Amino acid sequence: MKDILKIELKRAFKSKGMLLAVLIGCILAIAQVIEDQIPAYFRNETMDFASIPIVPPSDVSGIWMAGNSTNLEVFIFFLLVPIFAMLPFGTSYFTDADSGFLKNIYARCGRKEFLHAKYLSAFISGGTAVVIPLLLNVLCCMALLPNLRPSTIYRLSLITPAHLFSSIFFKYPLLYILIFLLIDFVIGGIFACLTLAVSFLSDYKIVIAVIPFFIQLIIHVGCSLLGVWDYSIVYMGRAGCGIINPWAFLIYLAVGLLASWFIFTRKGEREDVF
């Protein structure tokens, strides 16, 4: 298990898909730095906050990529999370089956061990592809702006006491950011694993690649039409929007992980690749 996991992780992290996902994500992250963070830095340098005590300086928690709830680049990034997560290794099972690689690997190791290693590799690489641009963005923000406690009067985010982890947000904003980086990692990993799970639904790679994206898009549009936008995964992964209903988020995680694991491992064990 360990040996095949190392091989699969190496394949995932050295893939062109990983490079492409990180590159596109970092372009969006840098675009947000240019559009929001640099102007906020100059505003902090030039504005006389002593004359307007109700207005605090711009800080990391309110201006970084996932803390800014109005930026177009941020919305595009989180809408495309399933694509970023899929690119490194999400379609690798389909590719391996189509190229005949599975025949060779199953002759050398157990099928279950390979499927488990494939699932873990997809989860880790998908989460990493999503988090690297966010981490780059928050580091840029920390270099430009102070890490102040968010103001409870003049708020740059949508976080209220009703949100999950709100007490951490107002007391320890960097810890709150780290929590959401972990949440985004898990969301990315789940979308990568969902791509594995739907590998058996079509004979066309492009169809398999976009199914998780359309699942998220349908959920997002449905939540928007019903006026419950905070239930959309697009917003749940954004620290500036936060999570109001933790049970809805836990249901997403449980269904995503359990369904993808069950479908992929069961179908993979029964799939005839010879």
Side-chain angles (χ1 to χ4, degrees), residues 20-21 27 35 45-46 49 70 72 76 80 85 88 121 172 189 195 207 209 229 233 262:
L20 181 61
I27 289 174
E35 183 173 341
E45 292 295 309
T46 58
F49 292 101
T70 60
L72 178 61
I76 293 173
L80 295 180
S121 300
Y172 311 104
T195 310
V207 174
W229 59 268
I233 308 173
F262 181 80

Side-chain angles (χ1 to χ4, degrees), residues 109-179:
C109 73
R111 183 174 291 212
K112 284 186 177 181
E113 288 77 8
F114 175 77
L115 293 173
H116 294 170
K118 174 74 74 177
Y119 187 93
L120 289 174
S121 300
F123 183 89
I124 294 170
S125 60
T128 302
V130 171
V131 165
I132 286 178
L134 294 174
L135 185 59
L136 171 66
N137 183 270
V138 76
L139 290 175
C140 290
C141 197
M142 291 174 65
L144 294 169
L145 301 173
N147 176 37
L148 304 175
R149 287 187 178 183
S151 171
T152 57
I153 301 173
Y154 188 89
R155 292 184 293 112
L156 297 175
S157 69
L158 300 177
I159 304 303
T160 69
H163 284 79
L164 188 64
F165 309 124
S166 60
S167 60
I168 297 177
F169 173 74
F170 289 108
K171 290 182 180 179
Y172 311 104
L174 280 184
L175 177 57
Y176 180 83
I177 289 173
L178 289 175
I179 290 173

Side-chain angles (χ1 to χ4, degrees), residues 224-242:
S224 300
L225 291 176
L226 294 173
V228 288
W229 59 268
D230 50 287
Y231 283 75
S232 169
I233 308 173
V234 174
Y235 292 114
M236 282 187 174
R238 292 164 63 174
C241 296

Side-chain angles (χ1 to χ4, degrees), residues 201-222:
L201 296 181
S202 175
D203 294 330
Y204 298 96
K205 184 177 179 179
I206 185 63
V207 174
I208 293 168
V210 299
I211 286 177
F213 170 75
F214 280 106
I215 291 174
Q216 171 168 265
L217 186 62
I218 291 170
I219 293 173
H220 176 69
V221 172

Side-chain angles (χ1 to χ4, degrees), residues 15-53:
S15 67
K16 293 180 180 178
M18 173 64 83
L19 178 61
L20 181 61
V22 171
L23 178 62
I24 297 173
C26 286
I27 289 174
L28 291 171
I30 296 301
Q32 192 272 339
V33 171
I34 296 171
E35 183 173 341
D36 281 348
Q37 295 182 22
I38 293 177
Y41 167 79
F42 285 111
R43 185 166 60 251
N44 281 358
E45 292 295 309
T46 58
M47 189 170 178
D48 182 12
F49 292 101
S51 62
I52 319 175

